[in-house]
Amino acid sequence: MSTPIDPTATAAWSELEAHRESFSPDLRAWFAADPDRVERMSLPLADLHVDLSKNLVTDEVVASLVRLAEETGVAERYAAMLAGEHINTTEDRAVLHTALRRPKGAEPALVVDGQDVDHDVHEVLDRVAAFADRVRSGDWLGVTGERVTDVVNIGIGGSDLGPVMVSEALKPYADAGIRAHFVSNIDPTDLAQKTADLDPGTTLFIVASKTFTTLETLTNARLARDWLWAGLEASGAIDGDEASRTDAVAHHFVAVSTALDKVAGFGIDTENAFGFWDWVGGRYSVDSAIGLSLAIELGPEAFRDLLAGFHAVDEHVRTTPLERNVPVLMGLLNVWYSNLLGSQSHAVLPYAQQLHRFPAYLQQLTMESNGKSVRWDGSPVTTTTGEVFWGEPGTNGQHAFYQLIHQGTRLIPADFIAFVNPAYPLTDDGRDVHGLFLANFLAQTKALAFGKTAEEVEAGGTTGPLVAARTFDGNRPTTSIFAPSLTPSVLGQLIALYEHITFTQGVIWGINSFDQWGVELGKQLALQIAPAIEGDEAALAAQDASTRALLGYYRTHRSG
């Protein structure tokens, strides 16, 4: 286990502290004095155009940030990850989500711990594509002899957030007449509502759980199996004996799991189980077999395009110098804001309704990865780590929380994402609605950067106390990310961009971004509390006073 480099002990950190002490950001003045700022700070990333010019940095600050990446070994750590070194130290695992999107025949071949990773990955991806084609073509039939019209993915965390986000983002590419649905919450409302208008005879369930032991997923899977049996029996499609029930499960359930014994025990044919590996973290798994629902809904070709977009960004990070490396620079900017300028949250604001689940996806990616207080060698961190990621699509957010970003007392860096060409080009009274939408995207970043002075407010006729209320300080940092349109490849590029932003920050802070022990304690305690809910007095007595009181309230008010 290598010892992480303490960022606060580097020369670059001392430079950054010195910059902070004399820092007086003035985007208006910087833009006026530097006509090349926008060109210099606008960078290509595959199909993405990334404008960093409205961030609160000078060339000197950027240079010091790049030196920080050099002195903390960001490039070396990335190379170690790509090579399959066990950089997930607490679980002694390689971290190889980037291998999921390596093209066939990539050189040199990737062999890790004696396994031909390229062969293993493409064997599974080929099986995923072949199965998706069977479902889409109507070759795969349910127990009633009907083709599949609806696919329900049952998973949670990375087995849900990624697929549902991509499904929503790429709906225009769903071309086979198959609807995708996603069940994750153990609240029975989730499954009940998602299956309310489905036909058991034409529904295919995908149970996504690597170990096939995830409490929420397996509970929902059993509920879905009961729903299937009840519906098929009510229609007379099966008679309810064990053999017919087993046959129904084999026709209507598949699994994304490597626990073949448990898959078989559930009743799923292991020929229809698609595996992935312990070097794929859940929040990095959408481009693995976890994307089976997407390959069915969108088609294998669209899924391959998604993977190609991921890979394009992986290659950019691998081959581009740090000073022009977009994900590295954006990660460094986040370090500047959170560690040196005191920001605590980061807004992601897609001007695309299709990306309405993207901020939620990033919450898991960033906050589960970098919400750590110890470094990868077990020592305490030397800086604050992580940010609260949040956001909503524009223009909805403008009418909700933008007030805080514009005129509040907190520094909230924001990423704005937009696309030149809409999925649904519509006009209103002869006007291009998408053009009006993008005018808001451009206006918000302009307003945040440059604000409105008291003199400008007064020049508009406002006087007295209202002047202060209508003054905007500006100097609110934003990054603008533009692309021609939201294609599968572009979406893959966006996801990979934030994966590598997260990676960069984790390396600088010296933390392991690939474990998530913080989620385990609550799971363990839930298993201890469940018997108390079910009436076990000894389990009730073992709880703390507050938990006992809450359980008492539950028992008193639970009906039925």
Side-chain angles (χ1 to χ4, degrees):
M1 179 190 300
S2 63
T3 301
I5 296 168
D6 180 356
T8 66
T10 63
W13 193 272
S14 297
E15 292 174 14
L16 290 167
E17 289 182 321
H19 291 315
R20 179 188 59 191
E21 292 304 313
S22 60
F23 198 59
S24 180
D26 189 342
L27 286 170
R28 282 196 179 207
W30 292 349
F31 271 73
D34 183 2
D36 297 325
R37 180 180 174 89
V38 174
E39 181 178 358
R40 195 171 60 255
M41 292 186 152
S42 295
L43 302 171
L45 174 61
D47 295 311
L48 307 179
H49 172 81
V50 181
D51 181 357
L52 304 176
S53 65
K54 296 190 187 79
N55 280 280
L56 303 185
V57 287
T58 61
D59 289 342
E60 292 75 20
V61 170
V62 171
S64 294
L65 288 169
V66 170
R67 279 191 285 276
L68 179 65
E70 293 170 345
E71 293 175 8
T72 52
V74 169
E76 292 79 6
R77 193 76 172 169
Y78 188 64
M81 181 175 76
L82 295 182
E85 294 184 25
H86 287 208
I87 67 169
N88 179 347
T89 51
T90 65
E91 297 174 301
D92 192 22
R93 293 174 179 172
V95 176
L96 286 173
H97 51 277
T98 53
L100 298 170
R101 50 261 196 162
R102 277 168 57 96
K104 282 186 177 181
E107 294 290 345
L110 182 60
V111 178
V112 176
D113 299 334
Q115 289 297 116
D116 185 337
V117 173
D118 291 328
H119 172 270
D120 293 348
V121 166
H122 285 286
E123 182 179 50
V124 173
L125 290 177
D126 287 346
R127 290 185 60 230
V128 165
F131 182 79
D133 281 334
R134 288 187 65 193
V135 176
R136 287 165 61 84
S137 68
D139 180 52
W140 176 281
L141 299 176
V143 74
T144 61
E146 299 171 273
R147 64 186 296 160
V148 170
T149 60
D150 293 272
V151 174
V152 181
N153 185 87
I154 301 176
I156 198 165
S159 299
D160 169 75
L161 281 166
V164 72
M165 182 274 289
V166 173
S167 175
E168 290 294 307
L170 298 180
K171 242 2 149 193
Y173 290 85
D175 59 353
I178 298 174
R179 298 182 300 171
H181 313 267
F182 299 87
V183 173
S184 59
N185 202 329
I186 198 172
D187 182 337
T189 303
D190 196 12
L191 181 73
Q193 291 184 342
K194 296 292 174 53
T195 57
D197 64 345
L198 302 187
D199 178 354
T202 61
T203 300
L204 176 68
F205 291 96
I206 300 171
V207 184
S209 172
K210 184 189 296 186
T211 61
F212 223 73
T213 59
T214 309
L215 173 65
E216 297 90 343
T217 300
L218 269 295
T219 300
N220 279 327
R222 289 189 292 269
L223 292 174
R225 186 176 59 184
D226 291 343
W227 173 87
L228 177 76
W229 285 338
L232 292 175
E233 289 172 21
S235 69
I238 63 173
D239 59 16
D241 62 22
E242 185 175 346
S244 66
R245 284 187 162 199
T246 299
D247 189 44
V249 172
H251 280 82
H252 292 271
F253 277 82
V254 299
V256 179
S257 177
T258 52
L260 297 185
D261 56 335
K262 295 183 176 64
V263 169
F266 187 88
I268 296 172
D269 186 343
T270 55
E271 289 296 310
N272 301 318
F274 304 86
F276 56 114
W277 305 270
D278 64 6
W279 42 255
V280 182
R283 55 193 176 276
Y284 297 92
S285 66
V286 68
D287 42 353
S288 72
I290 288 294
L292 177 61
S293 60
L294 304 172
I296 294 171
E297 181 189 23
L298 309 173
E301 183 176 351
F303 191 68
R304 291 188 192 99
D305 288 344
L306 178 76
L307 300 186
F310 276 98
H311 183 66
V313 176
D314 296 342
E315 284 296 285
H316 171 93
V317 178
R318 185 180 70 86
T319 62
T320 306
L322 295 177
E323 63 271 14
R324 304 290 291 174
N325 197 308
V326 175
V328 170
L329 289 172
M330 290 181 67
L332 291 168
L333 287 171
N334 290 355
V335 169
W336 169 244
Y337 292 130
S338 61
N339 291 132
L340 280 303
L341 299 188
S343 69
Q344 296 180 332
S345 76
H346 192 109
V348 178
L349 309 170
Y351 275 67
Q353 183 62 28
Q354 291 165 260
L355 288 181
H356 72 103
R357 293 294 292 164
F358 193 55
Y361 174 80
L362 294 184
Q363 286 174 348
Q364 185 193 29
L365 172 64
T366 62
M367 294 162 68
E368 192 168 78
S369 294
N370 287 343
K372 313 288 172 62
S373 56
V374 297
R375 301 191 296 171
W376 67 63
D377 65 349
S379 60
V381 296
T382 59
T383 65
T384 56
T385 63
E387 308 105 308
V388 176
F389 268 70
W390 58 284
E392 285 286 332
T395 56
N396 292 13
Q398 293 176 201
H399 294 266
F401 52 76
Y402 276 37
Q403 171 64 41
L404 177 67
I405 303 176
H406 276 287
Q407 290 184 306
T409 59
R410 302 180 185 276
L411 177 68
I412 303 175
D415 300 342
F416 284 72
I417 304 169
F419 305 94
V420 176
N421 299 293
Y424 305 100
L426 299 173
T427 60
D428 175 40
D429 197 22
R431 296 187 71 189
D432 175 15
V433 176
H434 188 66
L436 178 61
F437 185 44
L438 291 187
N440 280 270
F441 156 70
L442 297 168
Q444 290 298 322
T445 61
K446 181 176 181 177
L448 286 164
F450 306 118
K452 192 172 185 179
T453 67
E455 292 75 18
E456 289 169 336
V457 172
E458 290 173 339
T462 300
T463 59
L466 285 179
V467 171
R470 295 185 179 182
T471 296
F472 292 76
D473 293 336
N475 294 317
R476 308 291 175 124
T478 64
T479 293
S480 296
I481 302 170
F482 232 156
S485 55
L486 183 52
T487 64
S489 177
V490 164
L491 181 60
Q493 293 165 35
L494 283 170
I495 299 170
L497 166 62
Y498 282 91
E499 286 181 351
H500 296 313
I501 290 170
T502 302
F503 174 85
T504 298
Q505 293 178 254
V507 174
I508 289 169
W509 291 326
I511 60 178
N512 177 7
S513 298
F514 304 103
D515 61 7
Q516 55 280 331
W517 296 105
V519 307
E520 296 302 321
L521 178 58
K523 292 180 183 178
Q524 296 165 8
L525 293 178
L527 294 175
Q528 297 171 19
I529 292 171
I533 288 180
E534 295 160 359
D536 186 322
E537 295 302 323
L540 176 65
Q543 306 307 319
D544 64 274
S546 174
T547 303
R548 286 198 305 273
L550 292 168
L551 284 165
Y553 182 89
Y554 167 82
R555 289 182 172 188
T556 300
H557 293 277
R558 176 63 188 261
S559 59

